[in-house]
Amino acid sequence: MKYQFRLSCLLLAALLSACSSAPKQKAVQQPQTQIMPVEPIETELSANDYLEKAKQANPDRRNLYLFKAAEMWLQQQQCDKSIKLVDILRPELYVPLDISQANLIEAECLFDMGFFEQSNDLTQTITGQMGLNKRLYLLKAKLLEHQLNWIEAANAWQKVSNYDQNANQHIWPLLKKLSLNQLEQAESKYPSLDAWLELTIITRKYSADAYRMAQALSVWKNRYPNHPAINSMPSDLDKALHTDKYQPQTVAVLLPLSGRLQLQGEALKQGILAAYFEHENARPEVSFIDSNLMTESDMTAIATQYDFIVGPLEKDRIEELLKKVPADKPVLALNRINTGHMIPTQNASTDTPQPSQHYYFALAPEDEANQLVEHLLDKGYQHPVVISSANKSMQRMLSTFVQTWQQQTQYTPNSVTFESSGSMRSGIANLLEVNQSRSRIRQIENLYPNEVHAFYRNRQDVDAIVVFANAEETELLVPIIEASISPFSEVIPVYGSSRSYTQVLSNNSLRDLRNLTFIDMPWMLPNHPWQQLKHTFTRLWPAHTDSLQRLFAMGYDAYSVIPHLKHMAILPELRVNGLTGQISLDDNDILHQRFAMGKVEQEQVIRVEMD
């Protein structure tokens, strides 16, 4: 009688609104029972129907129906009710399978409700039980994806595929997000993913060579004849395999070879020529055209006379050209424009919309800021501050860094902008709250003029300092930052962009910049693989500036990347290593460079391996 009364109370509580509080109950020891095999139950039953069945069921069947009610509410996205029922039911559970099932239902609900951390914590309490493994691996896979842990998520989906072959479709997109280095490191750690990892590595190594890719895939198929991807090759990989690379016979290069941008145009031209002579096979006919002298009729003629167009550099000229060029005419513009791929284009043969073959390549300050955000987050920094000059490019970096950091962490970094060396010093002191510390010291000294021995203190929450300034300004900034750090505080790392570094730094300058870490093109750092090309460049242009040298590298990469563009558009995870960095293509057909990293140590610049 007591047992029946208790059961009725429990079911009544579950039927009440989820907002009501659970009734207080005395713990009653129940005999440990084993869950019986699940018998087919009508799918049209509601949660309330299962609760009614639980009222009439014997103790061996009661929990089954209560779990079914909780899961039905889960499916109906009424997780508040589901969690409520599980919480009421949990004190009655003693069998490990029952406890794991209750925890799994609640963890699934927490995930659906957006409480990812709590859901992840609860999964750690769930032991592998027959009948629950598929759901547990599925939940873990989703959690790992939310944490951006691509390789572990792929491994979890592989475990789900043991129960459901459809899970295989999730593995390929996740592995595509990894770099070649990450894929190769994962091979020894995730043996269950060997075949998938090898398949993904093939796409990296032979992205622009369909013939060699086909050969490598044939070997892969022989090694893994029963792999799920054999009969259902990922659509993007299949498309890349059957896509030919660009092999233009005629190339028009549109550059400002006169006027105010002539020096920049000449640097780009020399870089393109260097790459042209470096690639001996299938050299097309290349024509260099002064974009400052082009008329509208010239643009129309260029669109029809050449297989591929590189340039222009000026944004307004790019917009004018793309209005004349059909979408299926390949163009690699040497700048980005606000409207990007949205510019209306003509179609050469039909009114049917065609995928655009217009690409955009620029050395954008925003890319450097985003890379610094990514690096600092990977290093575990949480509260950086930013010091920037008032220069327009530096302000673009500052704005991008703050906005991206806020999006990633919900925290807005403090920043300061300086316009002169005087405002530089006061700005840093205010940013690190050194002035407040000095003011407090003076107040105490006024009270006890002969008895105070004090050191100022900087704010303690700052764990990294980011500098957006040119080389001369950074040379002044770093010593000021160092002097603003209390001797009792830990050293705060200082990071800079490519603008903070120049190859003509003296030993004194390098001494002032000690411990500065910065990002820059591999071409500008020591120990890169293009030493012979560097020697030739320096011999031919001994009076070059850093900016012109970077434009030379951009021109070299612009020509070198042409054969890869089609495959990069199909497989966005592909990377091409160039003088400017590791080049990738996004969904808007914009090329981005991932720069290398350098550090000033012992009056010299060393190359830093990035994670």
Side-chain angles (χ1 to χ4, degrees), residues 570-589:
I570 298 169
L571 300 170
E573 71 276 10
L574 297 181
R575 302 290 184 269
V576 174
N577 291 320
L579 274 63
T580 59
Q582 197 176 68
I583 304 170
S584 62
L585 185 71
D586 70 14
D587 293 338
N588 294 325
D589 295 329

Side-chain angles (χ1 to χ4, degrees), residues 252 254 289 294 297-307 309 321 329:
L254 315 181
I289 301 170
M294 287 191 309
S297 59
D298 291 333
M299 293 183 186
T300 303
I302 289 169
T304 58
Q305 294 175 5
Y306 293 91
D307 300 332
I309 302 172
L321 175 70
K329 172 68 68 173

Side-chain angles (χ1 to χ4, degrees), residues 97-354:
L97 176 58
D98 288 355
I99 296 172
S100 291
Q101 187 170 0
N103 289 346
L104 180 56
I105 292 172
E106 184 168 356
E108 290 171 325
C109 273
L110 289 170
F111 180 87
D112 289 348
M113 296 167 70
F115 298 106
F116 305 112
E117 185 175 349
Q118 295 92 323
S119 176
N120 184 66
D121 291 342
L122 201 53
T123 60
Q124 310 307 314
T125 69
I126 303 170
T127 57
Q129 298 284 349
M130 186 66 67
L132 301 182
N133 283 338
K134 176 186 174 181
R135 288 170 57 187
L136 179 58
Y137 293 141
L138 178 60
L139 178 58
K140 286 184 175 181
K142 293 178 180 178
L143 284 165
L144 289 164
E145 283 193 47
H146 177 75
Q147 296 165 6
L148 309 184
N149 191 338
W150 311 125
I151 184 62
E152 288 288 353
N155 194 48
W157 280 112
Q158 174 65 33
K159 294 178 180 179
V160 178
S161 71
N162 294 327
Y163 304 90
D164 181 359
Q165 285 295 307
N166 291 328
N168 284 302
Q169 65 184 335
H170 295 273
I171 299 174
W172 173 252
L174 293 170
L175 295 183
K176 286 168 55 179
K177 298 177 182 292
L178 303 176
S179 67
L180 178 59
N181 184 50
Q182 290 172 321
L183 290 165
E184 291 174 339
Q185 290 180 351
E187 281 190 292
S188 60
K189 299 179 182 178
Y190 301 91
S192 64
L193 291 173
D194 274 353
W196 284 111
L197 290 167
E198 287 186 30
L199 181 63
T200 316
I201 289 171
I202 288 172
T203 67
R204 297 290 200 283
K205 291 186 174 180
Y206 309 112
S207 61
D209 192 331
Y211 175 73
R212 293 186 68 188
M213 184 184 289
Q215 285 184 316
L217 285 176
S218 178
V219 173
W220 180 86
K221 289 178 181 178
N222 289 333
R223 181 177 298 178
Y224 305 102
N226 300 316
H227 194 269
I230 293 292
N231 298 321
S232 56
M233 184 69 68
S235 58
D236 51 358
L237 179 56
D238 184 65
K239 184 178 180 181
L241 184 61
H242 294 90
T243 297
D244 295 327
K245 63 183 178 181
Y246 285 123
Q247 291 182 300
Q249 299 301 307
T250 56
V251 177
V253 181
L254 315 181
L255 294 171
L257 301 177
S258 62
R260 65 182 182 86
L261 296 178
Q262 180 178 355
L263 287 177
Q264 290 88 332
E266 286 291 345
L268 287 162
K269 177 181 177 180
Q270 297 306 323
I272 291 171
L273 285 172
Y276 177 83
F277 290 111
E278 187 79 14
H279 300 79
E280 298 180 357
N281 298 328
R283 286 178 181 165
E285 177 185 329
V286 177
S287 300
F288 289 90
I289 301 170
D290 190 344
S291 58
N292 282 331
L293 304 179
M294 287 191 309
T295 64
E296 288 193 16
S297 59
D298 291 333
M299 293 183 186
T300 303
I302 289 169
T304 58
Q305 294 175 5
Y306 293 91
D307 300 332
F308 199 104
I309 302 172
V310 177
L313 177 64
E314 310 96 315
K315 291 185 177 182
D316 58 341
R317 302 259 76 183
I318 294 174
E319 294 177 351
E320 293 172 10
L321 175 70
L322 295 187
K323 291 176 182 178
K324 301 288 185 182
V325 176
D328 57 359
K329 172 68 68 173
V331 176
L332 177 56
L334 297 178
N335 210 330
R336 298 177 190 172
I337 52 180
N338 294 334
T339 50
H341 66 297
M342 300 301 293
I343 283 186
T345 54
Q346 303 173 8
N347 187 274
S349 58
T350 177
D351 293 332
T352 304
Q354 299 291 318

